[in-house]
Amino acid sequence: MEALRLILLFVHLVGFALLLGGGVAQLLSDRIRISKPVLWGAIIQLVSGLALAAPLRGGGDAEPDPIKLGVKLLVAAMIFIMVFVPRKRDEVNRGHFIGIITLTVVNAAVAVFWR
């Protein structure tokens, strides 16, 4: 079970890297749009986050706070919606894209600092 959790955690971190790295790269480019790495990063983050949280629902001492998981799910869903809806547009508003990057960093901060 620990090996599966570590694999899921690795996949989750790859999704984070795609989402944040792709987002920053697009923000620095001339034309800001939702690129495939950003879209796939959002999908991977949402799916792997759900998979990481699901086995932890059995109870025990190391079980994360359900409110923390709910907050992370809400933020991940907001990121996914903000990425998925305008994915076919030629250009996305700079503020919208900054919102995606900010929510991505906030979600990572919740994971790290909420104990």
Side-chain angles (χ1 to χ4, degrees), residues 93-111:
N93 186 336
R94 184 175 210 76
H96 182 89
F97 221 83
I98 290 172
I100 292 170
I101 293 170
T102 302
L103 284 175
T104 301
V105 171
V106 165
N107 213 10
V110 168

Side-chain angles (χ1 to χ4, degrees), residues 38-109:
V38 172
L39 177 62
W40 278 105
I43 293 169
I44 290 169
Q45 282 274 272
L46 188 61
V47 172
S48 64
L50 286 171
L52 275 169
L56 299 174
R57 300 288 83 217
D61 293 325
E63 186 173 330
D65 184 8
I67 306 227
K68 173 185 176 179
L69 293 177
V71 168
K72 286 191 56 57
L73 176 62
L74 177 67
V75 174
M78 289 171 37
I79 293 168
F80 177 74
I81 290 167
M82 289 177 72
V83 168
F84 190 76
V85 171
R87 73 189 184 283
K88 293 186 178 182
R89 292 185 189 156
D90 288 335
E91 200 162 342
V92 178
N93 186 336
R94 184 175 210 76
H96 182 89
F97 221 83
I98 290 172
I100 292 170
I101 293 170
T102 302
L103 284 175
T104 301
V105 171
V106 165
N107 213 10

Side-chain angles (χ1 to χ4, degrees), residues 5-77:
R5 189 188 72 78
L6 291 174
I7 291 169
L8 286 171
L9 183 61
F10 176 75
V11 169
H12 196 63
L13 290 173
V14 168
F16 174 76
L18 284 170
L19 184 58
L20 187 62
V24 170
Q26 280 297 311
L27 193 60
L28 297 175
S29 70
D30 292 335
R31 200 174 85 195
I32 301 172
R33 54 188 226 74
I34 303 296
S35 62
K36 289 190 186 223
V38 172
L39 177 62
W40 278 105
I43 293 169
I44 290 169
Q45 282 274 272
L46 188 61
V47 172
S48 64
L50 286 171
L52 275 169
L56 299 174
R57 300 288 83 217
D61 293 325
E63 186 173 330
D65 184 8
I67 306 227
K68 173 185 176 179
L69 293 177
V71 168
K72 286 191 56 57
L73 176 62
L74 177 67
V75 174

